C-alpha cells in the first residue's frame, strides 16, 4: 500500500512538473510597456496676445470712488451683509474705504488687499482663485501680493484701468456680487 501511494504521489508530481514546463514554454516574454506620452501642460501654451493687457489710466477721483462704495454698500445692505469695501486708484493706493456697521474687523485689510491685487494685476481676484482651485496652478501661490479669493474687481473706463474695488466680510461669492455693483458705476 505504501508503494502504491508513493507511486501515485510521484506520478502526480511528475504531471505538475510537466504542466509547469509546458506553461513556461507557451508564455512568451513581454517587453516592458513604453511609458505613456505626457499630455502637454496648458502652462506651455503661448497665447497670441497678452492676457489682461488693460492699460493703466488716470486715477479714479475720490468722488467717483465714493459713488462706487455707495453702490456696493446699497447692494450689501439689500442682502443684509455687513462688509468692508475699499476702492484704490490705478496705482493701487487707497482712495476710499467703508466699514459697514457690524463688518468683520479682520476683513478691513482683506478688502483693501483684494482691491490692490485687482489693480496691480489688472484682473479680478477670482482669476487667481480659479487658477488654484480649478486648474491646480500652484505656482500662483508663489506670486507676490496675490489674494486668491473673489471680491476684487478692476474699474475700467474707456478701456483703461482707473482703479479697483475690493470687498470682504462675506463669502467670496457675496463679496464678488457687492463689488460688481460698485464696479457698475464706472463705465
Amino acid at each position: 500500500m505504501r508503494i502504491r501511494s508513493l507511486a501515485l504521489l510521484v506520478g502526480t508530481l511528475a504531471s505538475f512538473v510537466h504542466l509547469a514546463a509546458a506553461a513556461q514554454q507557451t508564455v512568451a516574454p513581454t517587453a516592458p510597456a513604453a511609458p505613456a506620452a505626457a499630455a502637454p501642460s496648458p502652462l506651455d501654451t503661448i497665447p497670441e496676445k497678452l492676457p489682461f493687457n488693460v492699460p493703466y489710466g488716470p486715477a479714479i477721483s475720490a468722488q467717483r470712488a465714493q459713488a462706487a462704495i455707495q453702490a456696493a454698500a446699497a447692494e450689501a445692505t439689500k442682502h443684509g451683509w455687513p462688509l468692508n469695501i475699499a476702492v484704490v486708484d490705478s496705482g493701487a493706493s487707497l482712495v476710499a474705504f467703508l466699514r459697514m456697521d457690524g463688518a468683520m474687523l479682520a476683513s478691513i485689510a482683506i478688502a483693501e488687499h483684494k482691491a490692490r491685487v485687482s489693480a496691480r494685476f489688472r484682473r479680478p481676484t477670482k482669476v487667481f482663485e480659479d487658477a488654484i482651485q480649478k486648474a491646480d496652478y500652484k505656482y500662483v501661490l508663489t506670486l507676490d501680493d496675490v489674494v486668491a479669493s473673489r471680491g476684487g474687481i478692476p474699474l475700467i473706463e474707456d478701456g483703461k484701468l482707473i482703479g479697483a474695488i475690493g470687498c470682504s466680510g462675506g463669502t467670496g461669492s457675496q463679496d464678488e456680487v457687492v463689488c460688481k455693483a460698485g464696479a457698475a458705476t464706472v463705465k
Side-chain angles (χ1 to χ4, degrees), residues 9 24-25 54-55 60-61 69 86 93 106 115-116 118-119 127-128 148 152 155 174 176-178 181 184:
L9 180 60
Q24 284 181 347
Q25 291 173 358
V54 177
I60 189 170
S61 68
I69 283 182
S93 295
R116 283 193 316 270
S118 188
V127 170
F128 297 113
L155 301 175
Q174 291 170 329
E176 184 178 47
V177 164
V178 171

Side-chain angles (χ1 to χ4, degrees), residues 122-135:
R122 303 182 291 194
R123 64 198 75 192
T125 55
K126 184 178 187 307
V127 170
F128 297 113
E129 178 184 305
D130 289 347
I132 294 167
Q133 297 293 330
K134 294 181 179 177

Side-chain angles (χ1 to χ4, degrees), residues 104-161:
M104 184 178 4
L105 294 175
S107 291
I108 294 170
I110 298 169
E112 291 179 32
H113 196 180
K114 287 179 181 181
R116 283 193 316 270
V117 168
S118 188
R120 286 183 180 145
F121 287 92
R122 303 182 291 194
R123 64 198 75 192
T125 55
K126 184 178 187 307
V127 170
F128 297 113
E129 178 184 305
D130 289 347
I132 294 167
Q133 297 293 330
K134 294 181 179 177
D136 200 30
Y137 291 166
K138 291 181 180 72
Y139 79 91
V140 171
L141 297 170
T142 69
L143 302 175
D144 286 346
D145 206 30
V146 165
V147 169
S149 178
R150 306 170 206 210
I153 306 281
L155 301 175
I156 310 290
E157 181 177 66
D158 297 326
K160 294 183 178 176
L161 186 132

Side-chain angles (χ1 to χ4, degrees), residues 68-85 98-103 167 174-175 177-179 181-182:
I69 283 182
Q70 291 308 313
E75 182 70 18
T77 300
K78 180 171 82 175
H79 296 286
W81 303 333
L83 300 182
N84 293 294
I85 306 163
L98 171 68
R99 178 175 174 260
M100 296 176 68
D101 292 341
C167 299
Q174 291 170 329
D175 295 346
V177 164
V178 171
C179 275

Side-chain angles (χ1 to χ4, degrees), residues 1-11:
M1 176 107 165
R2 277 190 188 170
I3 295 177
R4 192 191 286 184
S5 295
L6 188 55
L8 184 61
L9 180 60
V10 170

